[in-house]
Amino acid sequence: MELIVYLAGEIHTNWRDELKQKAESLQLPVKFVGPMENHDRSDSIGEDILGKQPTNIYKDEVASSINNLRTTVLMNKSDIVIAKFGEKYKQWNTAMDASTAVSLNKPLILIRPESLHHPLKELSNKANVTVETMNQALKVLSYIFEEGNID
Amino acid sequence: MELIVYLAGEIHTNWRDELKQKAESLQLPVKFVGPMENHDRSDSIGEDILGKQPTNIYKDEVASSINNLRTTVLMNKSDIVIAKFGEKYKQWNTAMDASTAVSLNKPLILIRPESLHHPLKELSNKANVTVETMNQALKVLSYIFEEGNID
Amino acid sequence: MELIVYLAGEIHTNWRDELKQKAESLQLPVKFVGPMENHDRSDSIGEDILGKQPTNIYKDEVASSINNLRTTVLMNKSDIVIAKFGEKYKQWNTAMDASTAVSLNKPLILIRPESLHHPLKELSNKANVTVETMNQALKVLSYIFEEGNID
Amino acid sequence: MELIVYLAGEIHTNWRDELKQKAESLQLPVKFVGPMENHDRSDSIGEDILGKQPTNIYKDEVASSINNLRTTVLMNKSDIVIAKFGEKYKQWNTAMDASTAVSLNKPLILIRPESLHHPLKELSNKANVTVETMNQALKVLSYIFEEGNID
Amino acid sequence: MELIVYLAGEIHTNWRDELKQKAESLQLPVKFVGPMENHDRSDSIGEDILGKQPTNIYKDEVASSINNLRTTVLMNKSDIVIAKFGEKYKQWNTAMDASTAVSLNKPLILIRPESLHHPLKELSNKANVTVETMNQALKVLSYIFEEGNID
Amino acid sequence: MELIVYLAGEIHTNWRDELKQKAESLQLPVKFVGPMENHDRSDSIGEDILGKQPTNIYKDEVASSINNLRTTVLMNKSDIVIAKFGEKYKQWNTAMDASTAVSLNKPLILIRPESLHHPLKELSNKANVTVETMNQALKVLSYIFEEGNID
Amino acid sequence: MELIVYLAGEIHTNWRDELKQKAESLQLPVKFVGPMENHDRSDSIGEDILGKQPTNIYKDEVASSINNLRTTVLMNKSDIVIAKFGEKYKQWNTAMDASTAVSLNKPLILIRPESLHHPLKELSNKANVTVETMNQALKVLSYIFEEGNID
Amino acid sequence: MELIVYLAGEIHTNWRDELKQKAESLQLPVKFVGPMENHDRSDSIGEDILGKQPTNIYKDEVASSINNLRTTVLMNKSDIVIAKFGEKYKQWNTAMDASTAVSLNKPLILIRPESLHHPLKELSNKANVTVETMNQALKVLSYIFEEGNID
């Protein structure tokens, strides 16, 4: 039994690669999917496909429509969602994706530095598990497969 | 036919009172509900009811559990959700509530200053309507009742 | 027990008024809701609220976002949907609203002239009942209340 | 991870073949399904199986019942729906299928010539992404698999 | 708190009137709804509204479409469904309505003579409660309001 | 793409075997599942597993609980349901299973002799397609795979 | 806006009366519903209505079917569920009702003595709020109505 | 067709191993999943991953959050749930998991000693099948595959 894990959240660090490598070295039967990690591509995808838009707001609107389509397709296929918050940026799309996971009954692991506990308290309360580091998130994933659960 | 509107979002300005007064002067058959607007009460409600918690994180956890219960009860009763973002604060609970509304098929009106269009682009794309001012949100509400729609 | 009926479809004739008057004269406990019937207002509502848009496509986008919000709010409140197709116009939004009703398990009555039976065959097959005239639709509504069913 | 894409819409041009060939040449892990593309077969399938019907309306009714069954089976299996509108025909079944996709939370890509933007504005607003050409639709599909998302 | 009870099943005896009178004499806050009880009207409603159909099968098809619409509207409004089976007739529509109630999470009370226990065993197993007489069904309804539960 | 088809209905003839053989000879990518076809085993399964019950009604209750569990497991896995009615027996569990399929949005093909059209009219109206013979049902299944739809 | 609160849990103390009185004295717009509180009646209701059963297990089966029907009807009408665990008895039906509330997205308040924290830890984690006393539960209810939320 | 079976319930005996071995010897195409069976690990998993918590209640809270995540992931993948109650312990999480299965329309087999029939009567009534021994549960599983049902 293979599980699909959607990795929501910040795209300015390489935390996804780190997580993938560690999961592989543990031989966890997990496949990771997630958003476009190339920030420029993510911001320009609307105009890349549909051409120049009249204003920056409409440039953003067409880009976000394609990013949301990607997220919906991949989250629908997922068994678990991990959402990672960092110190920088607004990250409202991360909060949105995490909340969607909860509404779809997809178990949610929230990764956030302790410093963010106050502004994330309501989302943390809705998440199944809140951790501070990727290693902790990985241990939660790993726990699902412990004790001969999966052949 | 009366509609119930949940007012998600910032609790540091009196935008809800303004909206209620204007809706009343227009005699819109609308009832507004929303989160606790007393910020200190909202932060301390967990300890107010359950007593002193061992750490600030646990103080936040118990407060948010009660705030989320309130939001869920009232949003379940609502026909429309309005979510207002301001220039300050992280506002991740606002993004979470707005996303929940979308998942529950509750129509969502997003109010945000133009300056926030980029970080809110994915959420704006999921909202039914995005506006910049309360007056515009009120006009959207008012439009539902135009042309003899409601006896 | 009062039933709420959403009247989807063409806004270029006064069929809704006719239907309302006949239902009233029959004293059916039915309340009708529906889309904006002022065509110009419906097309310009986006710019009326949000101001001039850069292109006609974006003018349409903002108008339709507000029209869809209105439809979603009112259809969520409805017990039955009646969708009327006429000889003119594309009427794709009518087909969209009718299909949404089916997906939401809201019983759907389709009104269409016999001449349109071929292009509407798939939608007619999904509708609960297909009729050709408003009088027939009214008789279907009336049948729900026959034989002392409702006090 | 292979995605299944339902191709709703016009069956008078060979756009599906074109799309399939391009997707293959890009080696996208996508399988396409869709309606009966032989128009005569689609119209006569009811009588082909159930025998001569008493009127054309009933011929249409039995044909559409089988076409709708096929669509429901295949759309239920799909991860994405692409709906293509052309300049000709009423295409109400296309609007119906597109709307069903939205209700089932299946991401929807709408392809339509710019000339149709006004009558399709409400459906376009509900679609995740609206494009004008098959190439653009293909680029949206391709974007889902970019940046090492899928092994 | 008033409960709405849909009375599915045989329309050849006056069991609904009996049940209504007894519920009234017990002053239970219950409103009963149900199918057309005039058998001839129920069978001819399609042709009554839509005119003569070419065959008996199509006469039945149009009648059943309107009967099913009525049932769906009223069952959607109901809190409880009571389905009564008698010794005569096929009663497959009763089995269909009872099964729909189970799927919609509407509590189901089945009334059937003991003689029918074998052919109804699977449906009886899905029902919440199976009884043999109307009086027993009434006692189940009455139990909901016992001990000061409802003001 | 393989489809799973649940074969509800009579277990006194070998129609399932016939259907399977024909589907195989047509090389349709279809897997059939269904209820226990050994009638005695089906009736005694409760006592076979749980031991002698005090009355026939309780013998039936425990048997039907296990039959319903089997049906639910297999219908949940299915893409299509075929329900066959014959001239004999009450067949209320067939009507129940057919109605469950409709509620679960599983496309339903009804097979019934023309002689049963009147008592099955409401269920026939809810089915996607009604046919009279197994060959016709097979042609409907086959149509799903026509015109290169499935690789 | 009145809220309906289902009071699940122990029926051997008069905690419901206490809660009702306090809510009344606070003039909270809340209506309470719940299970049969007369324990003997609850255990014998099956035989009271259906007559003597052959074994105690079947006596229990018929009683529980009617108790579950009552609970389903009333919980479906409720906006909030409060589940109270005491020191005595197995209380598995309380755990079952509490879990059902969570699955139905009905906010759940769990009342339990601190001594039971370990065996209730998984259920407590799924509840929205866990408290130790009725007064605390009442304060949570009261908080929903604070700050002019409800007219 | 392989079925996935979630084994909820007591973790102090080795009943799962016994069940797995017997299913293997019968060559049933069934995969079993379930909770962490190492009791100490299950209780300490929160602190094992997140570090020492300030109180035993918070130790339990973090452990249960991770246990619930594991259960949700695996139950979402399951086709059937078997819940086993023993003579010892409160087992409220077992009741919770069993009830969740019912709400998710996952067929539920309850295993309990006859001595527990009274306190488990409501849950037993909601389960699809109640048995007393593992062998009986295995026979129910085996029955699903009888009579050539699965190729």
Side-chain angles (χ1 to χ4, degrees):
Chain A
M1 187 195 291
E2 191 187 56
L3 300 177
I4 301 177
V5 181
Y6 187 87
L7 300 176
E10 58 171 345
I11 61 175
H12 311 86
T13 65
N14 66 343
W15 67 281
R16 284 178 186 80
D17 290 337
E18 220 181 303
L19 196 60
K20 286 176 196 177
Q21 282 164 21
K22 284 178 176 171
E24 256 173 55
S25 70
L26 289 171
Q27 296 186 292
L28 295 181
V30 168
K31 181 194 288 294
F32 294 100
V33 294
M36 167 54 60
E37 295 176 56
N38 177 330
H39 200 173
D40 288 345
R41 176 71 167 153
S42 170
D43 275 359
S44 70
I45 182 64
E47 293 197 335
D48 287 356
I49 293 180
L50 294 164
K52 183 74 181 164
Q53 301 298 308
T55 68
N56 274 345
I57 290 185
Y58 282 118
K59 176 190 172 185
D60 277 356
E61 167 63 15
V62 289
S64 64
S65 75
I66 296 170
N67 287 324
N68 279 342
L69 178 138
R70 175 174 168 150
T71 302
T72 304
V73 169
L74 296 175
M75 201 186 284
N76 281 349
K77 305 291 276 188
S78 300
D79 302 300
I80 301 173
V81 173
I82 296 179
K84 181 175 191 306
F85 283 83
E87 301 280 2
K88 289 200 283 188
Y89 302 101
K90 297 291 192 185
Q91 306 176 82
W92 285 320
N93 54 350
T94 307
M96 176 187 85
D97 290 343
S99 178
T100 300
V102 170
S103 295
L104 294 174
N105 195 26
K106 310 264 182 191
L108 172 67
I109 302 171
L110 198 67
I111 309 178
R112 58 116 185 81
E114 190 183 327
S115 57
L116 293 178
H117 80 82
H118 187 67
L120 274 171
K121 68 182 188 297
E122 273 82 18
L123 192 53
S124 173
N125 173 257
K126 284 207 176 181
N128 293 60
V129 180
T130 298
V131 301
E132 291 179 23
T133 69
M134 268 188 306
N135 268 343
Q136 291 172 326
L138 198 68
K139 284 178 184 169
V140 175
L141 282 187
S142 180
Y143 180 69
I144 299 173
F145 300 99
E146 266 182 47
E147 287 294 305
N149 196 13
I150 310 286
D151 300 335
Chain B
M1 188 194 291
E2 191 187 56
L3 299 177
I4 300 177
V5 182
Y6 186 86
L7 301 175
E10 59 170 344
I11 60 175
H12 312 86
T13 64
N14 66 342
W15 67 280
R16 284 178 186 81
D17 290 339
E18 220 181 304
L19 196 60
K20 285 176 197 178
Q21 281 165 23
K22 285 178 175 170
E24 255 173 55
S25 70
L26 289 170
Q27 294 186 293
L28 295 181
V30 169
K31 180 193 289 291
F32 295 100
V33 295
M36 167 54 60
E37 295 176 56
N38 177 331
H39 200 172
D40 288 346
R41 176 70 167 152
S42 170
D43 277 358
S44 70
I45 182 64
E47 293 196 337
D48 288 356
I49 293 180
L50 294 164
K52 184 73 180 163
Q53 300 299 308
T55 68
N56 274 345
I57 290 186
Y58 282 118
K59 176 190 173 186
D60 277 357
E61 168 63 15
V62 289
S64 63
S65 74
I66 297 170
N67 286 325
N68 280 341
L69 178 137
R70 175 174 168 148
T71 302
T72 303
V73 169
L74 295 175
M75 202 186 283
N76 281 349
K77 305 291 277 187
S78 299
D79 302 299
I80 302 173
V81 173
I82 296 179
K84 182 174 189 306
F85 283 83
E87 301 281 3
K88 288 202 281 187
Y89 302 100
K90 297 291 192 184
Q91 305 175 81
W92 286 320
N93 54 349
T94 308
M96 177 187 85
D97 290 343
S99 179
T100 299
V102 170
S103 295
L104 293 174
N105 194 28
K106 310 264 181 192
L108 172 67
I109 301 170
L110 198 67
I111 308 178
R112 56 115 186 82
E114 190 183 326
S115 56
L116 292 178
H117 80 82
H118 188 67
L120 274 171
K121 67 182 190 296
E122 273 83 16
L123 193 52
S124 173
N125 174 258
K126 284 208 176 180
N128 293 59
V129 179
T130 298
V131 301
E132 291 179 22
T133 68
M134 267 187 306
N135 267 344
Q136 291 172 327
L138 197 67
K139 284 177 183 170
V140 174
L141 282 187
S142 180
Y143 180 69
I144 299 172
F145 300 99
E146 266 182 46
E147 288 293 306
N149 196 13
I150 309 289
D151 300 335
Chain C
M1 187 195 292
E2 192 187 56
L3 299 178
I4 300 176
V5 182
Y6 187 87
L7 300 175
E10 59 171 345
I11 61 177
H12 311 86
T13 64
N14 65 342
W15 67 281
R16 284 180 186 79
D17 290 338
E18 220 181 304
L19 196 61
K20 285 176 197 178
Q21 280 165 24
K22 285 178 176 172
E24 255 172 56
S25 71
L26 290 170
Q27 295 187 291
L28 295 181
V30 168
K31 181 193 288 292
F32 295 100
V33 296
M36 166 55 59
E37 295 176 55
N38 179 331
H39 200 172
D40 288 346
R41 177 69 166 153
S42 170
D43 276 359
S44 70
I45 182 64
E47 293 197 337
D48 288 356
I49 293 180
L50 293 165
K52 184 73 181 164
Q53 300 299 307
T55 67
N56 274 345
I57 290 185
Y58 282 118
K59 176 189 172 185
D60 277 356
E61 167 64 15
V62 290
S64 64
S65 75
I66 296 170
N67 286 324
N68 280 341
L69 178 138
R70 175 174 167 149
T71 301
T72 303
V73 169
L74 295 175
M75 200 185 285
N76 281 350
K77 304 292 277 188
S78 299
D79 302 300
I80 301 174
V81 172
I82 296 179
K84 183 175 189 306
F85 283 82
E87 301 280 3
K88 288 202 283 189
Y89 303 99
K90 297 292 192 184
Q91 305 175 83
W92 286 319
N93 53 351
T94 307
M96 175 186 86
D97 290 343
S99 179
T100 300
V102 171
S103 296
L104 293 175
N105 195 29
K106 310 264 181 190
L108 172 67
I109 301 171
L110 198 67
I111 308 177
R112 57 116 185 81
E114 189 183 325
S115 56
L116 292 178
H117 80 82
H118 188 66
L120 274 172
K121 66 182 190 297
E122 274 83 16
L123 193 53
S124 174
N125 174 258
K126 284 208 177 179
N128 293 60
V129 179
T130 298
V131 300
E132 291 179 22
T133 68
M134 267 187 306
N135 268 342
Q136 291 172 328
L138 198 67
K139 284 177 183 169
V140 175
L141 282 187
S142 180
Y143 180 69
I144 299 172
F145 300 99
E146 267 182 45
E147 289 292 306
N149 196 12
I150 310 288
D151 301 335
Chain D
M1 188 195 291
E2 192 187 54
L3 299 178
I4 300 177
V5 182
Y6 187 87
L7 300 176
E10 58 171 346
I11 60 176
H12 311 85
T13 64
N14 65 343
W15 68 280
R16 285 179 185 80
D17 290 338
E18 220 181 303
L19 196 61
K20 285 176 196 177
Q21 281 165 22
K22 284 179 176 171
E24 255 173 55
S25 71
L26 289 171
Q27 295 186 292
L28 294 182
V30 168
K31 180 193 289 293
F32 294 100
V33 295
M36 166 55 60
E37 295 176 57
N38 178 330
H39 200 172
D40 288 346
R41 176 71 166 153
S42 170
D43 276 0
S44 70
I45 181 64
E47 293 196 336
D48 288 355
I49 293 180
L50 294 164
K52 184 73 181 163
Q53 300 299 307
T55 68
N56 274 344
I57 290 186
Y58 282 118
K59 176 190 172 185
D60 277 356
E61 168 62 15
V62 289
S64 63
S65 74
I66 296 170
N67 286 324
N68 280 341
L69 178 137
R70 174 174 167 149
T71 302
T72 303
V73 170
L74 295 175
M75 201 186 284
N76 281 349
K77 305 292 277 188
S78 299
D79 303 300
I80 301 173
V81 173
I82 296 180
K84 182 175 190 307
F85 283 83
E87 300 281 2
K88 288 201 284 189
Y89 302 99
K90 297 291 191 184
Q91 306 177 82
W92 285 320
N93 53 350
T94 308
M96 176 187 86
D97 291 343
S99 179
T100 301
V102 170
S103 295
L104 294 174
N105 195 27
K106 310 263 180 191
L108 172 67
I109 302 171
L110 198 68
I111 309 179
R112 57 114 185 84
E114 190 182 326
S115 57
L116 293 178
H117 81 81
H118 187 67
L120 274 171
K121 66 182 191 296
E122 273 83 16
L123 192 51
S124 173
N125 174 257
K126 283 209 177 178
N128 293 59
V129 179
T130 298
V131 301
E132 291 179 23
T133 69
M134 267 189 306
N135 268 343
Q136 291 172 328
L138 198 68
K139 284 178 184 169
V140 175
L141 282 187
S142 179
Y143 180 68
I144 299 172
F145 300 99
E146 265 181 47
E147 289 292 307
N149 195 13
I150 311 288
D151 301 336
Chain E
M1 189 195 291
E2 192 187 54
L3 299 178
I4 300 176
V5 182
Y6 187 87
L7 300 176
E10 59 171 345
I11 61 177
H12 311 85
T13 63
N14 66 342
W15 67 281
R16 284 179 185 80
D17 289 338
E18 220 181 302
L19 196 60
K20 285 176 198 178
Q21 281 164 23
K22 285 178 176 171
E24 255 172 56
S25 71
L26 289 171
Q27 296 185 293
L28 295 181
V30 168
K31 181 194 287 293
F32 295 100
V33 295
M36 166 56 60
E37 295 175 57
N38 178 330
H39 200 173
D40 288 345
R41 176 71 166 152
S42 170
D43 276 359
S44 70
I45 182 64
E47 293 197 337
D48 288 356
I49 293 180
L50 294 164
K52 182 76 181 162
Q53 300 299 307
T55 69
N56 275 345
I57 290 186
Y58 283 118
K59 177 190 172 185
D60 277 356
E61 166 64 15
V62 289
S64 63
S65 75
I66 296 170
N67 286 325
N68 280 340
L69 178 137
R70 176 174 166 148
T71 302
T72 304
V73 169
L74 296 175
M75 201 186 285
N76 281 350
K77 304 292 277 188
S78 299
D79 303 300
I80 301 174
V81 173
I82 296 180
K84 182 175 189 307
F85 283 82
E87 301 279 4
K88 289 201 283 189
Y89 303 99
K90 298 291 192 184
Q91 306 176 81
W92 285 320
N93 54 350
T94 308
M96 176 186 85
D97 290 343
S99 178
T100 301
V102 170
S103 296
L104 293 175
N105 196 27
K106 310 263 182 192
L108 172 67
I109 301 171
L110 199 67
I111 308 178
R112 58 117 184 81
E114 190 182 326
S115 57
L116 292 178
H117 80 81
H118 188 67
L120 274 171
K121 66 182 189 298
E122 273 82 17
L123 192 53
S124 173
N125 173 257
K126 283 207 177 182
N128 293 60
V129 179
T130 298
V131 301
E132 291 178 23
T133 68
M134 268 187 307
N135 268 344
Q136 291 172 328
L138 198 68
K139 284 179 185 169
V140 175
L141 282 188
S142 180
Y143 180 69
I144 300 173
F145 301 98
E146 266 181 46
E147 290 292 307
N149 196 13
I150 311 287
D151 301 337
Chain F
M1 187 196 289
E2 191 187 56
L3 299 178
I4 299 177
V5 181
Y6 186 86
L7 300 175
E10 58 170 346
I11 60 176
H12 312 86
T13 64
N14 65 343
W15 67 280
R16 285 179 185 81
D17 291 338
E18 219 181 303
L19 196 62
K20 285 176 196 177
Q21 281 165 23
K22 285 178 176 171
E24 255 173 55
S25 70
L26 289 171
Q27 295 186 292
L28 294 182
V30 168
K31 180 193 288 294
F32 294 100
V33 295
M36 166 55 59
E37 296 176 56
N38 178 330
H39 200 172
D40 288 345
R41 175 71 165 151
S42 171
D43 276 358
S44 69
I45 182 63
E47 292 196 337
D48 288 356
I49 294 180
L50 293 164
K52 184 72 180 162
Q53 300 299 308
T55 67
N56 273 346
I57 290 186
Y58 283 118
K59 176 189 173 188
D60 277 356
E61 167 63 14
V62 289
S64 64
S65 74
I66 297 170
N67 286 325
N68 280 341
L69 177 137
R70 175 174 166 149
T71 302
T72 304
V73 169
L74 295 176
M75 201 185 284
N76 281 349
K77 304 292 277 189
S78 299
D79 302 300
I80 301 173
V81 173
I82 295 179
K84 182 174 189 307
F85 283 83
E87 300 280 3
K88 288 201 283 189
Y89 303 99
K90 297 291 192 185
Q91 306 176 81
W92 286 320
N93 54 350
T94 307
M96 176 187 86
D97 291 343
S99 179
T100 301
V102 170
S103 295
L104 293 175
N105 195 28
K106 310 264 181 191
L108 172 67
I109 301 170
L110 199 67
I111 308 179
R112 57 115 185 82
E114 190 183 325
S115 56
L116 292 178
H117 81 80
H118 188 66
L120 274 172
K121 67 182 190 297
E122 273 83 18
L123 193 52
S124 173
N125 174 258
K126 283 209 176 179
N128 292 60
V129 179
T130 298
V131 301
E132 291 178 22
T133 68
M134 266 188 308
N135 267 344
Q136 291 172 326
L138 198 68
K139 285 177 183 169
V140 175
L141 282 187
S142 180
Y143 180 70
I144 299 172
F145 300 99
E146 265 182 47
E147 288 293 306
N149 196 12
I150 310 289
D151 301 335
Chain G
M1 187 194 292
E2 191 187 57
L3 300 177
I4 300 177
V5 182
Y6 187 85
L7 300 176
E10 59 170 345
I11 60 177
H12 312 86
T13 64
N14 66 342
W15 67 281
R16 285 179 186 80
D17 290 338
E18 218 180 306
L19 196 60
K20 285 175 198 178
Q21 281 164 23
K22 284 178 176 171
E24 256 172 55
S25 71
L26 288 171
Q27 295 186 293
L28 295 182
V30 168
K31 182 193 288 293
F32 295 101
V33 294
M36 167 55 59
E37 295 176 55
N38 178 332
H39 200 173
D40 288 345
R41 176 72 166 152
S42 170
D43 276 358
S44 69
I45 182 64
E47 293 196 337
D48 288 356
I49 293 180
L50 293 164
K52 183 74 180 162
Q53 300 299 308
T55 67
N56 274 345
I57 290 185
Y58 282 117
K59 177 190 171 186
D60 277 356
E61 167 63 14
V62 289
S64 64
S65 74
I66 297 170
N67 286 324
N68 279 342
L69 178 136
R70 175 174 166 148
T71 301
T72 303
V73 169
L74 296 175
M75 201 187 284
N76 281 350
K77 305 291 277 189
S78 299
D79 303 300
I80 302 173
V81 173
I82 296 179
K84 181 173 191 308
F85 283 83
E87 301 279 4
K88 289 202 282 188
Y89 303 99
K90 297 291 192 185
Q91 306 175 81
W92 285 319
N93 55 349
T94 308
M96 176 186 85
D97 290 343
S99 178
T100 301
V102 170
S103 295
L104 294 174
N105 196 27
K106 309 264 180 191
L108 172 67
I109 301 171
L110 199 67
I111 308 179
R112 56 117 187 80
E114 190 183 327
S115 57
L116 292 178
H117 79 82
H118 187 67
L120 274 171
K121 67 183 189 298
E122 273 83 17
L123 193 52
S124 173
N125 174 258
K126 283 207 177 182
N128 293 60
V129 179
T130 298
V131 301
E132 291 178 22
T133 68
M134 266 189 306
N135 267 343
Q136 291 172 326
L138 198 68
K139 284 177 185 170
V140 174
L141 282 187
S142 179
Y143 180 69
I144 300 172
F145 301 98
E146 265 182 47
E147 288 292 307
N149 197 13
I150 310 287
D151 300 336
Chain H
M1 186 195 292
E2 191 186 57
L3 299 178
I4 300 176
V5 182
Y6 187 86
L7 300 175
E10 58 171 346
I11 60 176
H12 311 88
T13 64
N14 66 342
W15 67 281
R16 285 179 186 81
D17 291 337
E18 218 182 304
L19 196 61
K20 284 176 197 178
Q21 281 164 22
K22 285 178 174 172
E24 256 173 53
S25 70
L26 289 171
Q27 295 186 293
L28 295 182
V30 168
K31 181 193 288 294
F32 295 100
V33 295
M36 167 54 60
E37 295 176 56
N38 177 330
H39 200 172
D40 287 346
R41 176 69 166 153
S42 170
D43 276 359
S44 69
I45 182 62
E47 293 197 336
D48 287 356
I49 293 180
L50 293 164
K52 184 73 181 163
Q53 300 299 308
T55 68
N56 274 345
I57 290 185
Y58 283 118
K59 176 189 173 187
D60 277 355
E61 167 63 15
V62 288
S64 64
S65 75
I66 296 170
N67 286 324
N68 280 341
L69 178 137
R70 175 174 167 149
T71 301
T72 304
V73 169
L74 296 175
M75 200 187 284
N76 281 350
K77 305 292 276 189
S78 299
D79 302 300
I80 301 173
V81 173
I82 296 179
K84 182 175 190 307
F85 282 82
E87 301 279 4
K88 289 201 282 189
Y89 303 101
K90 297 291 192 184
Q91 306 175 82
W92 286 320
N93 54 349
T94 308
M96 176 186 86
D97 290 343
S99 178
T100 301
V102 171
S103 295
L104 293 174
N105 195 28
K106 310 264 182 192
L108 172 67
I109 301 170
L110 199 66
I111 307 178
R112 57 116 185 81
E114 190 183 327
S115 57
L116 292 178
H117 80 82
H118 188 66
L120 274 171
K121 67 183 190 297
E122 273 83 18
L123 192 52
S124 173
N125 173 258
K126 284 207 177 181
N128 292 60
V129 180
T130 298
V131 301
E132 291 179 23
T133 68
M134 266 188 307
N135 267 343
Q136 291 172 327
L138 199 67
K139 284 178 183 169
V140 175
L141 282 187
S142 179
Y143 180 69
I144 300 172
F145 300 98
E146 266 183 45
E147 287 294 305
N149 196 13
I150 309 288
D151 300 334

